[in-house]
Amino acid sequence: MSILETQRLSKHFGGLVAVNSVSMKVNHGEIVGLIGPNGAGKTTLLNAMAGSAPPTYGKVFFGGEETTGFSPEKMCRLGLSRTFQIPQPFPDMPAIYNVLCSTLFGNKHKIDDPLSHCRTMLEFVEFPMDEQVITSSLNTMQLKRLDLARALASRPKLLFLDEMAAGLTDGELNDITKLILKIRDSGITIVMVEHLMKLILKVCDRLVVIQFGTKISEGPTRDVAQDPEVMKAYLGSNRKNNTHKEGKL
């Protein structure tokens, strides 16, 4: 049974068609990679599904309910949370208060001990700093872990991850790979926008490929990664053999 489904979803900005009639399904317990060249419309598609940029046409279903045009706040309380390519914390607040905001306002049901819940989330993502550290002092990896703790604090059923690997070292990439799998193993379904082939191959069960806003391929990760049309979309027809060498789709 699918947890998320779109039917011919489109998003227009004036005369620009950013997402063009995309239909896709995400099943419970999967990690689905949403991939495509820069500017393909991946984040716009996430926004249309999550409520921050309602679709122009088409429908969204979450947990069997039509949620087309629902606000991000309503989607969050239904069980959809997300991180961002560039984390957007409250910079002058301690880390734990950033997580507390999600705990207090992102949950459908009241949590009896909100601070304890926040500490559990920070521990789950292995946040390496003191909970009272001011967020503006954190580096990229620390911010990404905090963003994950915040997203998880609303107890989501489905988590959107937008380019978690961006700006990470090889060592940090290994750590974030383990953390993504840990989140999936805790029972949370994941849809992730990603460019780095190394991460995609390790964690994604299936891929959906977007080019110029249109879905061009969907299926098991390794099958899609070897699809000639996908290779051409990313690398050009004369560079097929360089896909794995370059480490990116």
Side-chain angles (χ1 to χ4, degrees), residues 69-112:
F70 280 21
S71 69
E73 294 83 3
K74 189 167 185 178
M75 293 300 293
C76 183
R77 293 189 181 102
L78 286 174
L80 192 157
S81 190
R82 67 183 299 183
T83 67
F84 297 86
Q85 180 180 357
I86 300 174
Q88 302 176 27
F90 297 104
D92 298 324
M93 289 171 54
I96 194 167
Y97 287 176
N98 276 263
V99 184
L100 185 62
C101 289
S102 176
T103 299
L104 293 177
F105 302 113
N107 278 281
K108 185 175 182 179
H109 302 291
K110 181 180 178 181
I111 292 178
D112 291 335

Side-chain angles (χ1 to χ4, degrees), residues 9-10 12-13 31 43-44 47 57 60 74 87 115 120 127 131 135 145 147-148 164-165 178 189 191 213 231 236:
L9 201 69
S10 298
H12 299 180
F13 296 97
I31 300 179
T43 297
T44 302
N47 291 340
Y57 304 108
V60 181
K74 189 167 185 178
L115 283 175
T120 299
F127 184 67
E131 65 182 39
T135 308
R145 288 185 186 272
D147 208 25
L148 271 174
M164 286 297 295
K178 294 175 184 177
T189 304
V191 175
M231 293 179 178

Side-chain angles (χ1 to χ4, degrees), residues 18-36:
V19 176
N20 182 25
S21 193
V22 173
S23 297
M24 59 178 282
K25 288 185 179 181
V26 178
N27 298 317
H28 285 274
E30 285 188 312
I31 300 179
V32 174
L34 181 59
I35 67 172

Side-chain angles (χ1 to χ4, degrees), residues 135 137-144 172:
T135 308
S137 68
L138 300 178
N139 65 27
T140 299
M141 185 59 182
Q142 293 161 359
L143 284 169
K144 286 180 181 287
E172 291 169 341

Side-chain angles (χ1 to χ4, degrees), residues 38-209:
N38 288 330
K42 304 180 295 297
T43 297
T44 302
L45 178 56
L46 286 190
N47 291 340
M49 294 188 288
S52 54
T56 308
Y57 304 108
K59 295 181 179 181
V60 181
F61 296 87
F62 178 56
E65 173 185 3
E66 184 177 354
T67 58
T68 311
F70 280 21
S71 69
E73 294 83 3
K74 189 167 185 178
M75 293 300 293
C76 183
R77 293 189 181 102
L78 286 174
L80 192 157
S81 190
R82 67 183 299 183
T83 67
F84 297 86
Q85 180 180 357
I86 300 174
Q88 302 176 27
F90 297 104
D92 298 324
M93 289 171 54
I96 194 167
Y97 287 176
N98 276 263
V99 184
L100 185 62
C101 289
S102 176
T103 299
L104 293 177
F105 302 113
N107 278 281
K108 185 175 182 179
H109 302 291
K110 181 180 178 181
I111 292 178
D112 291 335
D113 190 343
L115 283 175
S116 177
H117 178 70
C118 292
R119 292 184 179 111
T120 299
M121 295 301 100
L122 288 170
E123 181 179 355
F124 182 88
V125 302
E126 300 173 19
F127 184 67
M129 307 294 285
D130 186 271
E131 65 182 39
Q132 294 295 332
V133 65
I134 300 301
T135 308
S136 59
S137 68
L138 300 178
N139 65 27
T140 299
M141 185 59 182
Q142 293 161 359
L143 284 169
K144 286 180 181 287
R145 288 185 186 272
L146 179 62
D147 208 25
L148 271 174
R150 177 202 53 76
L152 295 173
S154 63
R155 298 184 292 192
K157 301 170 187 174
L158 174 64
L159 178 64
F160 285 173
L161 303 178
D162 197 348
E163 299 207 32
M164 286 297 295
L168 301 185
T169 66
D170 286 343
E172 291 169 341
L173 178 61
N174 289 333
D175 291 340
I176 211 69
T177 299
K178 294 175 184 177
L179 184 51
I180 291 170
L181 293 173
K182 180 181 176 182
I183 293 168
R184 188 274 312 276
D185 292 343
S186 75
I188 298 172
T189 304
I190 296 172
V191 175
M192 55 187 293
V193 168
E194 189 52 64
H195 285 285
L196 194 62
M197 186 64 168
K198 185 188 300 186
L199 180 58
I200 291 166
L201 290 175
K202 284 184 177 180
V203 304
C204 292
D205 301 301
R206 289 192 304 113
L207 298 180
V208 175
V209 188

